[in-house]
Amino acid sequence: MKKITLLLTFFVLITSCGVRQTRESLTSGDYDSAIQNAVEGLRNRKDAKGKQDYVYLLEEAFAKAKERDLRNIATWFKDANPNNLEKIFNTYQQLNNRQEMIRPLLPLKLLKEGRNAIFPFDDYTDQIVSSKNALSKHLYDNSKALLVSKDKMSIRRAYDDLVYLDQLSPGYKDVAKLMDEAKFKGTDYVSVFTKNETNMVIPVRLQNDLLDFSTFGLNDKWTVYHSNRLKDINYDYGLIVNFREINISPEQVKEKEFIKEKQIKDGTKPLINAQGQQVKDSLGNVIMVDNFKTIRINIYEFRQFKSTQVTAKVDYIDFKTNQLIDTFPLASEFVFEHIYSTYNGDRRACDDSYLPYFDRRAVAFPSNEQMVYDSGEDLKAKLKDIIVRNKFRR
């Protein structure tokens, strides 16, 4: 009995909270939230006495929402502003959707008044179709007018309107063709190339890798990067990677000698006390302990080293004005290092992590060209970061 009482109390509290929230939405003019809350509250046990507040609130919210929407539509029609066509279409859909949300719950009884709640439904099919057609025509005509513009931002607005029109009225006239046109005209095309201002030859492989923007994943909705210029495209911007300086260190081999010592177990020996006598256990047996000895190794370490530093700058150019938009520094360093070792003595004195060096031998140093090329991965990552952080249009 106690459990039932607690459940009923909990149910009443939840219902009371929901009714209060619905009433607050209604009094604040947020009629659709009030309708949504009331419908949710009536999905289960709609005829229960505890749900009567929801029915009254739903009836009132529906009437006020409908009156407001029809009043707004009448105002927009009188204004005759084509920009209101989307509002008119959306509002007619809202009027219809609101009815369809409530319809499954009908009839809803008002127990004290002995009547059903009143929800005057209307058929908005003709209004939805006519307003959609008017909106579609406006979007089409306006987009075609914007496509004549030289302003890419206007053309991009046309593209977005055409996408919306295609969703609203699939297959409408030549919308697909106009979308392709808008996409082409609204896109910023960026020509990417390198310049060598150093006194060294830049490896062709490095230049190709840097300009392989297909691996960068940088093309976005309205920006396309080309490392090979196409004849039928007027490029809007240029991105130039200017190599300024390349420094390559001499090939170096540094030698180092050091000693390692370690104590290792070497059998056992009798335990000797302070008097130099063997220690025995209670049975008279000599106690044996681990015998340790010190081992030693002389290590001769050789470290091959060579490094390269590449410095460059990235220039953003506006081709319409031939003006420099911005410049960003770009630098990378690549280090070649190879360590190998020889030894005299017992290699067990070394840490296990060092042992692989004894199995190595000297290797050929990479060429200068290879060193410069090997700096490419770091250069690509930094170049990509510059482009991601600094768009041509701010």
Side-chain angles (χ1 to χ4, degrees), residues 56 64 73 80 89 98 126 172 180 187 197 234 237 251 268 304 328 353 386:
Y56 278 104
K64 289 183 175 180
I73 289 173
F89 169 67
R98 195 180 290 135
D126 291 342
Y172 190 90
D180 290 340
T187 296
E197 298 178 1
N234 292 319
Y237 300 104
E251 298 175 357
T268 59
Q304 292 179 264
F328 306 94
S353 60
I386 289 173

Side-chain angles (χ1 to χ4, degrees), residues 307-318:
S307 68
T308 180
Q309 295 86 33
V310 179
T311 59
K313 67 186 180 83
V314 181
D315 292 335
Y316 280 27
I317 307 295
D318 187 335

Side-chain angles (χ1 to χ4, degrees), residues 72-221:
N72 285 340
I73 289 173
T75 301
W76 292 327
F77 269 117
K78 288 179 181 178
D79 186 33
N81 185 337
N83 291 326
N84 290 329
L85 291 173
E86 184 176 1
K87 296 178 184 177
I88 293 171
F89 169 67
N90 288 338
T91 305
Y92 274 127
Q93 282 196 311
Q94 182 173 270
L95 284 162
N96 184 69
N97 293 340
R98 195 180 290 135
Q99 292 179 167
E100 295 307 310
M101 186 189 306
I102 296 171
R103 196 184 300 277
L105 298 174
L106 299 182
L108 289 171
K109 298 176 182 179
L110 293 171
L111 301 178
K112 288 184 179 179
E113 301 182 27
R115 67 176 177 86
N116 290 333
I118 299 171
F119 299 97
F121 286 178
D122 294 310
D123 184 359
Y124 296 107
T125 304
D126 291 342
Q127 292 92 330
I128 290 173
V129 171
S130 62
S131 61
K132 184 179 80 168
N133 290 339
L135 174 59
S136 297
K137 183 178 185 305
H138 168 67
L139 290 170
Y140 181 82
D141 294 341
N142 189 61
S143 296
K144 287 197 74 171
L146 290 174
L147 284 176
V148 180
S149 168
K150 298 294 185 182
D151 179 45
K152 286 184 181 283
M153 303 311 292
S154 296
I155 294 171
R156 292 178 186 183
R157 288 198 301 273
Y159 176 84
D160 291 337
D161 284 349
L162 289 167
V163 170
Y164 176 44
L165 173 54
D166 190 52
Q167 296 168 348
L168 189 66
S169 301
Y172 190 90
K173 295 186 178 181
D174 58 343
V175 167
K177 178 183 176 183
L178 294 178
M179 286 171 61
D180 290 340
E181 181 182 345
K183 193 71 170 68
F184 179 78
K185 289 184 175 179
T187 296
D188 284 328
Y189 291 93
V190 183
S191 176
V192 187
F193 52 98
T194 62
K195 283 187 177 179
N196 185 3
E197 298 178 1
T198 73
N199 58 358
M200 293 186 63
V201 175
I202 306 295
V204 174
R205 288 187 302 161
L206 175 58
Q207 296 186 62
N208 291 340
D209 280 358
L210 280 177
L211 299 182
D212 184 9
F213 271 62
S214 62
T215 63
F216 276 50
L218 291 174
N219 290 346
D220 57 34
K221 181 180 178 181

Side-chain angles (χ1 to χ4, degrees), residues 279-342:
V279 179
K280 298 180 179 180
D281 60 19
S282 59
L283 299 177
N285 298 316
V286 176
I287 297 174
M288 303 299 291
V289 295
D290 290 337
N291 182 48
F292 287 92
K293 71 175 182 179
T294 300
I295 58 175
R296 172 177 172 148
I297 185 173
N298 281 37
I299 299 173
Y300 307 95
E301 183 180 275
F302 302 89
R303 177 174 174 262
Q304 292 179 264
F305 177 86
K306 186 176 181 180
S307 68
T308 180
Q309 295 86 33
V310 179
T311 59
K313 67 186 180 83
V314 181
D315 292 335
Y316 280 27
I317 307 295
D318 187 335
F319 282 156
K320 297 184 188 67
T321 62
N322 286 322
Q323 296 294 315
L324 177 66
I325 301 174
D326 217 333
T327 296
F328 306 94
L330 180 65
S332 177
E333 180 178 17
F334 178 77
V335 174
F336 166 80
E337 185 177 58
H338 177 72
I339 300 174
Y340 65 98
S341 299
T342 61

